[in-house]
Amino acid sequence: KDPRLKYQYTNHLVPLSRYIFIFNNQPIRKNRDFIFVRTNIEESGNIFRLTDKLFNTAETEEGYYTKLGVRYTQFVRFETDFRYYKFLNPKSNLVFRFAGGVGVPFGNSDVLPVEKGFYAGGANGNRGWEIRSLGPGSFSDPENVFDKMGELWLESNIEYRFPMYSFLHGAMFADIGNIWLLNENIDFPNGKFEISNFNEQIAVSSGFGLRFDFSFFIFRIDGA
């Protein structure tokens, strides 16, 4: 019955415009520190909404606009991923990462579409939690099996990578972060971002991993 969950799993159209900026000063065959940055800025639905206003398109009975009979989304979204690689020796390095994002639905959308929400947990996030199971905020309910999605995401990682034997490498890491909602939701209490207590809702995990480095591809196994 929750309109937030219902909208996430019903048909919707995403007319997307995206600008991507990537910076990488990694040298080729040189062992030194380097930085990698990737930033995405996206918007959806504004051109469709403008045409609806110009042609006085009628709303549906539910109070929203459609294209080809499907409700279209309207939002702005920002996401960034910053990584600093600290060279220690030819086989060992430290990697620092900070990532975050925010998405704001408006106009023809009440919430972000499910594929544009932010998630926490999993192999590429906070590795102490299963994918899409963490948050939002301090919300926790084992009976709620829906993917946990938020409009705000903050995450940081530190990882020490070192050789073990031949192609086998090890990694020790720590992950912190979470997702939050921008507005109150009765189905996800304590999920809204509040500057006064968000530090108490930061999830922390640590662990150890193995890297099977075959030069042209790497297999990774982590436990956290």
Side-chain angles (χ1 to χ4, degrees):
K1 296 181 180 179
D2 185 353
R4 174 188 175 88
L5 293 174
K6 182 178 179 181
Y7 178 63
Q8 288 178 12
Y9 295 93
T10 54
N11 291 338
H12 51 268
L13 182 65
V14 185
L16 190 68
S17 298
R18 174 189 298 150
Y19 174 77
I20 302 175
F21 170 81
I22 297 176
F23 173 81
N24 184 3
N25 67 349
Q26 180 179 10
I28 298 176
R29 297 188 180 92
K30 291 183 180 179
N31 295 317
R32 67 173 176 83
D33 303 354
F34 67 93
I35 292 172
F36 172 87
V37 181
R38 178 187 175 98
T39 298
N40 297 343
I41 301 174
E42 302 174 325
E43 68 83 24
S44 173
N46 292 316
I47 294 178
F48 281 9
R49 187 68 187 93
L50 179 61
T51 60
D52 287 336
K53 287 185 176 181
L54 290 176
F55 295 100
N56 293 318
T57 304
E59 297 179 340
T60 64
E61 295 180 356
E62 292 79 9
Y64 55 81
Y65 297 91
T66 64
K67 286 289 182 287
L68 303 176
V70 180
R71 183 178 181 178
Y72 63 84
T73 62
Q74 198 172 2
F75 63 85
V76 292
R77 187 178 185 274
F78 172 83
E79 180 180 0
T80 189
D81 188 331
F82 171 87
R83 305 179 189 188
Y84 174 65
Y85 294 78
K86 176 65 178 177
F87 171 76
L88 301 177
N89 60 56
K91 294 292 185 178
S92 302
N93 55 58
L94 274 174
V95 182
F96 302 90
R97 174 177 175 261
F98 173 80
V102 60
V104 182
F106 62 94
N108 210 44
S109 291
D110 301 318
V111 298
L112 290 175
V114 64
E115 68 274 20
K116 288 299 176 182
F118 294 103
Y119 303 92
N124 296 311
N126 201 318
R127 285 165 276 189
W129 279 263
E130 293 183 7
I131 188 169
R132 303 185 179 188
S133 67
L134 177 59
S138 59
F139 169 78
S140 178
D141 181 1
E143 296 183 359
N144 186 318
V145 296
F146 288 99
D147 291 343
K148 310 305 187 298
M149 188 188 88
E151 291 95 24
L152 178 64
W153 167 54
L154 293 172
E155 184 172 286
S156 185
N157 321 84
I158 181 171
E159 184 166 308
Y160 171 53
R161 301 170 181 174
F162 54 92
M164 294 179 66
Y165 177 77
S166 184
F167 59 83
L168 181 62
H169 298 251
M172 298 176 63
F173 58 85
D175 309 318
I176 65 172
N178 206 341
I179 57 170
W180 289 267
L181 307 177
L182 295 180
N183 299 299
E184 296 284 358
N185 187 296
I186 60 174
D187 293 304
F188 298 96
N190 301 315
K192 180 184 177 183
F193 179 82
E194 299 284 356
I195 194 68
S196 59
N197 66 349
F198 93 96
N199 60 305
E200 300 173 2
Q201 299 176 343
I202 295 291
V204 182
S205 67
S206 61
F208 176 79
L210 297 175
R211 309 290 183 265
F212 300 87
D213 188 350
F214 299 105
S215 296
F216 49 94
F217 61 87
I218 298 175
F219 288 110
R220 173 166 66 97
I221 299 175
D222 289 331

